[in-house]
Each structure stands twice: as structure tokens, then as C-alpha cells.
Amino acid sequence: MFVSGTATLNWVGPEPVTYNRMICSFDLANEAFGRVPLPAVNHDKISPPVLGVLRNALCLCYFDFEVSAGWNVWMMNEYGVQHSWTKLAMISASQ
């Protein structure tokens, strides 16, 4: 996903040592790779995250198998800052 305010390309990939999920980034201006922190959730209990962009901000959607048993949508208010992730919506899978 391209985030225009940051001039970065972002994608979900495995962390090289532990193979945990992480957001990888490539800064087009500096031609440098980096990492963007995921929200502070139990990453062992969620589906592979899907990235998107909403209002020029990085967004993340995943299914939580443990806590909410539903879909969670997060938005990163300040690019690259983990505590700026805000949960926008939680859609329960139960009826």
C-alpha cells in the first residue's frame, strides 16, 4: 500500500528471525527499507493482516480468533508510531 503523506510502500511480511508478522516499508525518498509496528495485540491469535489506506493513513484489518471472535479494523494516526494505532471498528462473527 502506498501512503502518500509518507512516500512509503508498505506490505505485511514475516519477521526474518521469528517469522512473526510485521509491516515492511520502503521509503521512496530515501530508498531505505524499514519496519512499521503492528498494533499491540496477540499476533498468534489473529488471521494474516490485510493492509489498506484510509484518509492517507495506514489501516489494518484482521480476524481475531481469541478476544472478539470477529473482524477488527485499525488506523495508524501517526505513521510509524505504534501507540498511534486506533481501533476503528470491531465486527462480531457471532449472530
Side-chain angles (χ1 to χ4, degrees):
M1 302 280 22
F2 177 72
V3 182
S4 64
T6 65
T8 60
L9 295 173
N10 301 270
W11 65 95
V12 175
E15 199 275 331
V17 176
T18 64
Y19 298 103
N20 289 332
R21 295 178 202 106
M22 60 183 250
I23 299 174
C24 306
S25 69
F26 181 71
D27 185 321
L28 296 169
N30 299 320
E31 297 184 357
F33 287 95
R35 297 180 185 182
V36 177
L38 290 167
V41 298
N42 183 353
H43 302 286
D44 294 334
K45 302 294 182 179
I46 65 172
S47 68
V50 176
L51 286 180
V53 175
L54 178 64
R55 297 184 214 142
N56 285 327
L58 196 60
C59 290
L60 182 74
C61 179
Y62 61 84
F63 190 88
D64 187 330
F65 295 101
E66 184 178 52
V67 178
S68 63
W71 290 97
N72 292 270
V73 180
W74 292 74
M75 184 169 92
M76 182 175 254
N77 296 305
E78 188 177 341
Y79 184 81
V81 179
Q82 184 176 28
H83 70 268
S84 75
W85 282 107
T86 302
K87 188 184 284 192
L88 295 179
M90 184 179 72
I91 304 163
S92 177
S94 64
Q95 298 185 19

